[in-house]
Structures are given as C-alpha cells and as structure tokens.
C-alpha cells in the first residue's frame, strides 16, 4: 500500500470511528448495525468491513483509545508535585468527565458482553495500570499521613476504581434526581472520608 493510499485509509478509519461513536451514543450499541454506520458515511458495507471485521472490533477500537487516554491523564496527575488529597480529587473529577466514562455510560449496559476474551485481557491490562496509579497516590498519602486507613492500598485503589461503575451513576443521575455535579461532589467526599478513616477496620 502506497503512503497516499495508507493516508486515505487512516483518514477513513478515523471517520468510521467518529460516526460509529456518534450513532452508538444516540441509538445504543445493540440498535446500531454495521449497515447503519456504512449508510451514514455513504460507503459500501464491504468497505466498512475492510477496516473492521466486526462491530465488536470497531467498538473495541473506540473504547481502547478512550481508556488509554484516561490512563495517561491519571498517570500525569499521579506524577504531579501536588498533595495526595489534591491528586485523588482530580483523579475523580477527571474520571467522571473523561471520554471513556462518557462512552461506557452511553453504551451501558451493553458494553460488558461485547468483547472477546483477548480484547478483555487487553483492556484489563490497561485498567491494571490505572489501578497501579491509584495505589501509588494512596500510598503516597499514607506515607505523608494525609490518609490514615488500615485497609490495604490494593483494596483502596480498587474501591477508587469502583467509583466509576456506570450502574450507580445511571441509577442516580440518569434515572434519578441527582445532578452530575452533586454526584461528583458526593463521590469525592465519600471516598476521602473513607480513606482518612481512623480506627479499627474490624466489625
């Protein structure tokens, strides 16, 4: 493939991803067909399959780029010279405004069942890097006595990741009476109070 052809292929690839994301956000994952994407772009369905062998692989490309972007944002925050408390607050805010959370939320609850085992492993690998950043920040806060909690840092890092579960947001914000701003505020206060908890962790 010549450099010119490769450039055109990559440009069309990006257009496909943009259009597919827009349609999925509007119609949902299951209601968006490959033919819908092809027709919206005015290209043949066969041309679409030259770029992506299935709707699953197309959506995986969308999700992967977004979770990588989120990881880079978290990594930048974790490496800053700010306090651990500041970092946690900004990680939570960044998470709720990230393209990754927005897309998963718009596609919820369909996303969980659409990826193959290999794709899930790749996404899990990136997710583990994000959790490692969370753990680093939490341990940094413990070392500086900003946080005081007897729970293991692995557990607390996973709890921080759980804040971005779309089920809770969907039921309280999309289907409830809570605003996005209040949800982010409550989530931040809740986690900070939990992580600075003094006392015994036994019931």
């Amino acid at each position: 493939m010549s450099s010119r052809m490769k450039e055109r292929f990559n440009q069309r690839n990006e257009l496909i991803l943009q259009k597919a994301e827009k349609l999925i956000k509007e119609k949902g994952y299951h209601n968006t067909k490959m033919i819908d994407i092809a027709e919206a772009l005015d290209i043949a369905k066969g041309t679409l399959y030259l770029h992506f062998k299935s709707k699953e692989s197309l959506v995986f490309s969308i999700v992967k780029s977004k979770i990588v972007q989120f990881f880079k944002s978290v990594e930048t925050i974790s490496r800053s010279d700010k306090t651990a408390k500041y970092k946690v607050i900004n990680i939570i805010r960044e998470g709720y405004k990230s393209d990754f959370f927005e897309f998963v939320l718009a596609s919820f609850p369909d996303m969980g069942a659409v990826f193959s085992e290999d794709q899930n492993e790749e996404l899990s690998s990136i997710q583990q890097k994000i959790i490692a950043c969370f753990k680093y920040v939490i341990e940094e806060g413990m070392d500086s006595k900003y946080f005081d909690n007897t729970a293991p840092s692995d557990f607390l890092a996973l709890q921080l990741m759980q804040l971005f579960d779309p089920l809770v947001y969907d039921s309280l914000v999309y289907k409830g009476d809570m605003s996005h701003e209040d949800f982010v505020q409550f989530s931040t206060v809740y986690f900070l109070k939990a992580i600075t908890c003094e006392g015994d962790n036994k019931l």
Side-chain angles (χ1 to χ4, degrees):
M1 183 183 294
S2 68
S3 58
R4 177 61 179 161
M5 289 177 64
K6 187 175 182 179
E7 181 182 356
R8 290 180 61 189
F9 183 90
N10 290 338
Q11 287 175 346
R12 178 177 285 165
N13 212 69
E14 185 59 32
L15 286 174
I16 290 170
L17 291 172
Q18 291 174 4
K19 182 60 69 175
E21 179 177 350
K22 184 174 184 293
L23 289 175
I24 289 170
K25 284 181 177 179
E26 291 173 353
K27 302 171 62 175
Y29 174 80
H30 285 304
N31 292 327
T32 302
K33 311 300 182 187
M34 290 290 271
I35 188 63
D36 299 329
I37 300 168
E39 289 177 352
L41 289 164
D42 196 25
I43 61 175
K45 189 176 179 181
T47 302
L48 182 58
Y49 279 105
L50 288 176
H51 290 261
F52 299 98
K53 62 182 181 181
S54 65
K55 185 172 72 170
E56 179 182 306
S57 66
L58 195 164
V59 173
F60 174 74
S61 294
I62 297 172
V63 173
K64 181 184 175 182
S65 68
K66 292 182 183 302
I67 195 172
V68 167
Q69 183 182 41
F70 178 46
F71 164 62
K72 289 180 179 177
S73 297
V74 169
E75 188 177 39
T76 298
I77 293 170
S78 69
R79 290 181 176 179
S80 71
D81 58 0
K82 304 295 186 180
T83 66
K85 179 180 179 181
Y86 176 93
K87 291 178 184 180
V88 166
I89 291 171
N90 279 274
I91 282 171
I92 294 172
R93 289 176 177 170
E94 184 65 30
Y96 285 126
K97 74 176 184 181
S98 68
D99 287 343
F100 172 66
F101 182 74
E102 180 186 346
F103 184 74
V104 171
L105 186 63
S107 310
F108 175 80
D110 302 328
M111 284 294 99
V114 302
F115 299 120
S116 69
E117 185 175 338
D118 289 343
Q119 290 168 335
N120 273 325
E121 286 180 4
E122 192 169 353
L123 289 181
S124 293
S125 175
I126 302 169
Q127 186 181 59
Q128 288 305 312
K129 292 178 181 178
I130 294 171
I131 293 171
C133 287
F134 292 172
K135 181 180 176 182
Y136 171 83
V137 171
I138 289 166
E139 291 180 345
E140 184 181 48
M142 289 177 169
D143 289 342
S144 65
K145 306 303 180 185
Y146 234 87
F147 303 140
D148 183 13
N149 194 296
T150 55
S153 57
D154 286 338
F155 172 81
L156 295 173
L158 286 168
Q159 290 302 309
L160 179 52
M161 193 70 185
Q162 282 298 312
L163 290 183
F164 307 115
D165 182 346
L167 174 61
V168 180
Y169 188 97
D170 183 71
S171 59
L172 290 177
V173 179
Y174 272 18
K175 297 177 182 176
D177 298 321
M178 187 178 294
S179 70
H180 169 83
E181 292 75 18
D182 282 346
F183 185 87
V184 174
Q185 177 70 11
F186 290 142
S187 297
T188 305
V189 171
Y190 168 81
F191 187 77
L192 286 175
K193 282 186 175 180
I195 207 170
T196 55
C197 176
E198 298 180 6
D200 203 335
N201 63 351
K202 295 181 181 179
L203 297 178

